[in-house]
Amino acid sequence: MTVDKDAPLETVWQGKYISALKRGRWEYVSRTGSTNAVVILAEHDGKVILIEQYRVPVGGRCLELPAGLVGDEDEHATIEGTAVKELEEETGFTCASVERLGEFHSSPGMVAESFALVRAHGVRKVGEGGGTHEEDIEVFLVAREDIPGFIAERRAAGSAVDVKLLLFAGY
């Protein structure tokens, strides 16, 4: 047991979306409020749906699975409802159902945020995708066995790669 566990929680700084916190020796970030994230694993015609968009923190485009914030626009939003909404908005695909695969942390030494990983079932094309007017999302459909090579291609083109794509790395 560390001394940090019992130390009082201190808010160092708080913005509209992010809070910088300190507990003992540890400094970390958290989402302000009760907003959580959902990450969507979706396949269509045997291909995984990936997206790429500009991400300010990495200073460029990032290859990712579709995702979104639960409760950022509607405090009564559910993980499943947000998954369907974000899948449609970002990719132009929808789904018949959403299966929760688990709750995960991507960088637990620095970020308090967790995300629910879900699998979309009954995926079908319903629109163009591309995100909201503030987003510039490009959609890719890639066969599972081609994802490691596709990641290498996107890296070579200068894109960052979200850690969640390790699901397809084949280690």
Side-chain angles (χ1 to χ4, degrees), residues 6-75:
D6 298 323
L9 181 62
E10 174 188 347
T11 300
V12 178
W13 173 86
Q14 183 171 317
K16 183 175 180 181
Y17 301 108
I18 301 291
S19 297
L21 305 171
K22 184 174 182 181
R23 184 180 300 272
R25 300 168 294 146
W26 284 91
E27 296 175 337
Y28 62 98
V29 295
S30 180
R31 292 217 181 259
T32 300
S34 61
T35 306
N36 293 311
V38 61
V39 177
I40 306 131
L41 177 55
E43 296 183 52
H44 180 69
D45 288 340
K47 295 182 177 180
V48 177
I49 301 171
L50 302 175
I51 63 165
E52 190 175 85
Q53 63 183 312
Y54 185 84
R55 293 293 195 180
V56 170
V58 299
R61 296 187 68 78
C62 187
L63 185 64
E64 313 169 3
L65 290 168
L69 297 176
V70 180
D72 64 331
E73 296 172 356
D74 173 7
E75 65 184 54

Side-chain angles (χ1 to χ4, degrees), residues 73-96:
E73 296 172 356
D74 173 7
E75 65 184 54
H76 303 293
T78 64
I79 289 170
E80 293 81 3
T82 301
V84 172
K85 174 186 155 300
E86 292 293 335
L87 184 63
E88 287 182 16
E89 182 180 284
E90 292 187 357
T91 72
F93 289 87
T94 193
C95 62

Side-chain angles (χ1 to χ4, degrees), residues 1-7 24-25:
M1 189 108 21
T2 69
V3 175
D4 300 311
K5 179 182 178 289
D6 298 323
R25 300 168 294 146

Side-chain angles (χ1 to χ4, degrees), residues 109-142:
M110 187 182 121
V111 181
E113 177 186 55
S114 66
F115 63 90
L117 180 64
V118 302
R119 181 186 314 273
H121 294 282
V123 176
R124 62 185 168 80
K125 184 83 168 156
V126 294
E128 290 303 310
T132 67
H133 69 280
E134 300 165 344
E135 299 170 312
D136 177 20
I137 295 175
E138 188 172 356
V139 180
F140 300 98
L141 279 80
V142 184

